Amino acid sequence: MSSVLSIFSSFISNQFSDQKLKTNLRILLGRIKLLREKRESRVNSIEQDLKKVLLPQQHVEVALKKCDSIARERNFLLILEEIREFAQVVLETRGKLELHGSENKQLRTAVSSIFYAAGTSSAELTNDLPELKPIANELAKKFEKEFRLSCEREKTSEACGVSKQFMAIVAKKVRKDMKSDGVEAKMVLEKMAKEIGVELPRVAEKKKKPTKKKKKKKSTRDSSSEASGGNSS
């Protein structure tokens, strides 16, 4: 009897649930709204601190670190906006989930991009948006696990319909999680300095010292041959 119940429960759990999808999508949209407000507030706070740093003493190095934080936050806000749009599309069309046909291109992009987001290597993204994985799991019941895996792989994701723009934004975030290149931070710094009318000092680039070539020491054989040559003359 217990084995029959386990088989039945397994069968039920593998069935697509529109209600579960709908619930998780709504929770996700609500969470994104709260996260956006929190991140935007953080950006505004950092910008105010940045102005205080720039105005009196122009600590460029400290300002650059703050600008790097602003660039990271703004990039994450872009990711949140993209996911919000994808979730909204799926929520509005979940009653007729069909990825084939040119009229369903928008839905295909939304579904495949959600799969991509759920499988991303960015821990911050999956931790801040825990509903991504349950949504992806539910959609995988509808469109099969093979399609989900193809959407998650870098080599096949674009062919599956994942948004190029979204992939680029996520890739930028993953790179920034590992190491900041400082380019965007400098752009933010220059823009902020211009807005408040502060002239930034030029940061002197460290020049590499030319490496001196070491003179080869003459071997005892060479010196002895020179000496013998001099004696013969």
Side-chain angles (χ1 to χ4, degrees):
M1 185 67 179
S2 59
S3 59
V4 174
L5 287 173
S6 63
I7 293 170
F8 180 73
S9 60
S10 176
F11 174 76
I12 294 297
S13 64
N14 289 327
Q15 293 296 302
F16 170 74
S17 171
D18 179 70
Q19 187 59 44
K20 281 184 182 178
L21 180 63
K22 177 183 174 182
T23 302
N24 280 307
L25 283 168
R26 285 184 171 174
I27 294 172
L28 176 66
L29 289 168
R31 192 184 298 279
I32 288 173
K33 184 181 178 182
L34 292 173
L35 276 173
R36 284 177 64 184
E37 291 173 357
K38 183 180 177 182
R39 296 296 179 119
E40 284 168 0
S41 175
R42 190 182 296 177
V43 169
N44 291 334
S45 177
I46 298 171
E47 284 178 345
Q48 293 305 315
D49 289 342
L50 181 59
K51 288 178 182 178
K52 292 175 184 176
V53 170
L54 281 176
L55 282 171
Q57 296 177 346
Q58 297 184 0
H59 298 305
V60 179
E61 293 301 321
V62 177
L64 274 172
K65 288 181 180 179
K66 290 185 178 295
C67 288
D68 185 56
S69 297
I70 291 173
R72 289 171 186 267
E73 293 294 338
R74 285 179 178 171
N75 186 69
F76 192 71
L77 283 167
L78 288 175
I79 291 174
L80 289 178
E81 178 57 24
E82 290 283 314
I83 294 176
R84 186 196 67 79
E85 291 180 4
F86 300 144
Q88 196 66 50
V89 169
V90 176
L91 183 62
E92 290 172 358
T93 58
R94 73 186 194 285
K96 43 182 179 179
L97 288 173
E98 180 58 54
L99 300 186
H100 302 290
S102 56
E103 69 277 4
N104 294 322
K105 187 178 179 181
Q106 188 182 21
L107 177 60
R108 185 182 183 88
T109 300
V111 171
S112 58
S113 298
I114 286 174
F115 282 144
Y116 183 83
T120 184
S121 59
S122 174
E124 184 182 14
L125 184 58
T126 50
N127 289 339
D128 283 353
L129 302 174
E131 292 79 25
L132 274 176
K133 288 193 181 295
I135 290 170
N137 291 340
E138 212 57 49
L139 289 171
K141 295 174 185 177
K142 183 78 175 177
F143 303 111
E144 300 181 356
K145 290 182 180 180
E146 289 75 13
F147 179 68
R148 176 183 180 175
L149 291 172
S150 297
C151 292
E152 291 177 358
R153 296 190 190 104
E154 293 293 336
K155 291 182 180 179
T156 54
S157 53
E158 189 178 329
C160 290
V162 179
S163 166
K164 287 183 184 179
Q165 180 177 316
F166 182 62
M167 288 172 65
I169 298 170
V170 173
K172 188 186 289 185
K173 167 154 185 56
V174 172
R175 286 198 303 271
K176 282 184 174 295
D177 285 346
M178 292 187 291
K179 188 179 180 182
S180 174
D181 56 9
V183 176
E184 283 189 69
K186 288 177 183 176
M187 289 172 64
V188 173
L189 179 62
E190 288 170 2
K191 185 180 178 182
M192 182 64 69
K194 190 176 180 180
E195 285 178 4
I196 62 176
V198 172
E199 189 175 343
L200 293 172
R202 290 184 179 180
V203 182
E205 294 182 0
K206 294 180 180 179
K207 294 182 179 179
K208 291 183 179 180
K209 293 180 180 180
T211 53
K212 293 181 180 180
K213 292 183 179 180
K214 292 182 180 181
K215 292 182 180 180
K216 291 182 178 180
K217 291 183 180 181
K218 292 182 180 180
S219 62
T220 52
R221 186 180 296 177
D222 293 337
S223 57
S224 60
S225 61
E226 285 179 8
S228 60
N231 292 335
S232 60
S233 59

